[in-house]
Amino acid sequence: MFALISLLALLPSVLSAPIFGLGDDGESSTEATTAFSLADAESTLLRPGQFARIAYCSSQSITTWTCGEPCKALPNVTFLQSGGDQGLIPLYFVAHDADDQSIVVAHEGTDSKNILSILNDAKFGLVDLNVTRFPDTAGKGIKVHSGFQETFERTADGLLAGVMKGLADTGAKKVVVTGHSLGAAVATMTGALIKKSVDPSVEVTVTGFGLPRGGNQAWADFLDSDVGVTFMSNQNDPVPSVPPRFTGFQHSSGEIHITDDTQKNFVACPGQDNENCATGNSLLDVNVSNHKGPYFDDLSFGHSACPDGAT
Ligand SMILES: *[C@@H]1O[C@H](CO)[C@@H](O)[C@H](O)[C@H]1NC(C)=O
Ligand SMILES: *[C@@H]1O[C@H](CO)[C@@H](O)[C@H](O)[C@H]1NC(C)=O
Ligand SMILES: *[C@@H]1O[C@H](CO)[C@@H](O)[C@H](O)[C@H]1NC(C)=O
């Protein structure tokens, strides 16, 4: 009940309309979900999740890869670059993962209270995607959340330079982009930038946890056709359901939904905004704690998940 009350307080402007699922204009999938096992989660989502968790640790502990258990879970990683100030500009880091022969970009997120107030702030509506940066998207009518794009733009150039240098120096043929919450939303934009900038022989994967909606239908379609995002939504976390669809926002496809708190039961959700997954959640069941986790294998996000390195 406490969670519900805080959500109501944070989302006053949407209370006049149904938040979840009803009363929207976009396309929502009603396709049946398909099986997704713990083994599937561990082979595809665990490693990106472990990197996204580290993005919440202090800058200094990331630089030296001494952030305690979260860093110990990922040996053989070489830190390459970081940016942001953990305040206005959330931290990101670039690293080389020798075990996976990849360059990793992980974006820091923010807590559920902050992300919900950002998502509910009327000054952050949909704005045009920066077509100077993404010239191929001109004329497609792509709009994204202005706050996410502003956050992305503050570090995009330096981040991309770091990734290109990392690829050249290590010979890696894969880039893994990941983040939780706000970090997941920025990761989708970073993923789009890296995908169009690297040689086509380089594989780019984008993974998000607790991903809010980041743009309109055209953005969702662009992510599906040109980028490819996989994102995990945990039970009754309200963040994947905002901003609401009736305000023009739409999720891309690629959702993996956690159905209960055993950390073992997941489903893959075909199509965009599948009603059988987070999009179909009821406002009455909201649990804000689900945003930080645990998701599976005790994967939780936030400064408290980085006890040895938190600032
Ligand atoms: C990773 O580290 C382990 C333990 O230090 C080592 O045995 C293994 O060879 C390393 N793998 C790579 C790819 O460097
Ligand atoms: C758009 O992207 C260009 C780089 O391609 C950048 O220089 C410019 O600042 C960006 N515009 C905004 C409004 O962020
Ligand atoms: C909300 O989620 C947290 C963990 O994410 C869990 O511990 C708690 O029991 C849940 N609350 C309810 C009412 O289900």
Side-chain angles (χ1 to χ4, degrees):
M1 198 56 196
F2 172 73
L4 175 61
I5 289 164
S6 19
L7 181 76
L8 298 184
L10 287 162
L11 299 176
S13 70
V14 296
L15 290 180
S16 56
I19 297 180
F20 303 122
L22 304 168
D24 48 55
D25 308 312
E27 300 159 25
S28 70
S29 168
T30 52
E31 279 180 71
T33 59
T34 58
F36 196 86
S37 68
L38 178 59
D40 292 334
E42 286 174 337
S43 63
T44 59
L45 296 166
L46 182 57
R47 214 166 172 81
Q50 289 171 326
F51 277 103
R53 176 171 63 182
I54 289 173
Y56 280 99
C57 299
S58 74
S59 191
Q60 207 235 302
S61 73
I62 295 173
T63 308
T64 51
W65 216 250
T66 54
C67 63
E69 290 306 321
C71 285
K72 285 184 194 148
L74 293 166
N76 306 336
V77 171
T78 307
F79 166 85
L80 298 177
Q81 176 178 312
S82 66
D85 64 2
Q86 292 189 310
L88 182 63
I89 313 169
L91 178 80
Y92 76 84
F93 68 86
V94 180
H96 177 232
D97 181 353
D99 287 347
D100 188 43
Q101 296 186 32
S102 59
I103 298 299
V104 179
V105 179
H107 286 279
E108 185 189 3
T110 184
D111 64 31
S112 39
K113 188 162 176 284
N114 264 335
I115 188 72
L116 287 168
S117 50
I118 290 168
L119 291 165
N120 189 42
D121 192 329
K123 78 171 183 277
F124 295 126
L126 286 167
V127 295
D128 290 339
L129 180 69
N130 183 352
V131 293
T132 310
R133 190 175 289 288
F134 295 100
D136 292 350
T137 67
K140 287 188 175 172
I142 297 181
K143 290 183 185 291
V144 293
H145 185 275
S146 66
F148 298 162
Q149 177 157 256
E150 279 169 28
T151 305
F152 161 76
E153 282 292 347
R154 287 191 194 108
T155 54
D157 292 322
L159 188 162
L160 180 62
V163 169
M164 299 311 264
K165 183 171 188 309
L167 288 170
D169 290 352
T170 65
K173 288 286 178 200
K174 183 177 175 188
V175 181
V176 172
V177 186
T178 183
H180 166 252
S181 189
L182 171 66
V186 178
T188 64
M189 306 199 73
T190 301
L193 174 63
I194 292 171
K195 184 91 179 185
K196 77 166 187 72
S197 307
V198 297
D199 187 272
S201 67
V202 175
E203 182 195 353
V204 180
T205 68
V206 182
T207 307
F209 297 83
L211 173 73
R213 294 192 183 96
N216 66 356
Q217 179 75 59
W219 170 244
D221 293 344
F222 169 72
L223 287 178
D224 283 351
S225 61
D226 286 49
V227 185
V229 177
T230 303
F231 61 100
M232 196 166 225
S233 57
N234 185 19
Q235 301 169 79
N236 292 303
D237 175 7
V239 173
S241 302
V242 287
R245 297 180 62 228
F246 68 83
T247 61
F249 283 83
Q250 177 84 7
H251 265 305
S252 60
S253 58
E255 179 180 3
I256 307 294
H257 185 60
I258 303 177
T259 58
D260 67 27
D261 63 5
T262 62
Q263 301 191 43
K264 283 191 198 118
N265 293 320
F266 322 112
V267 290
C269 315
Q272 296 175 346
D273 269 304
N274 192 311
E275 297 285 351
N276 299 309
C277 295
T279 297
N281 281 351
S282 162
L283 175 59
L284 298 175
D285 295 328
V286 157
N287 184 341
V288 174
S289 301
N290 286 161
H291 188 55
K292 69 174 173 23
Y295 284 68
F296 62 98
D297 287 355
D298 288 322
L299 190 61
S300 291
F301 300 94
H303 296 283
S304 59
C306 201
D308 298 347
T311 41

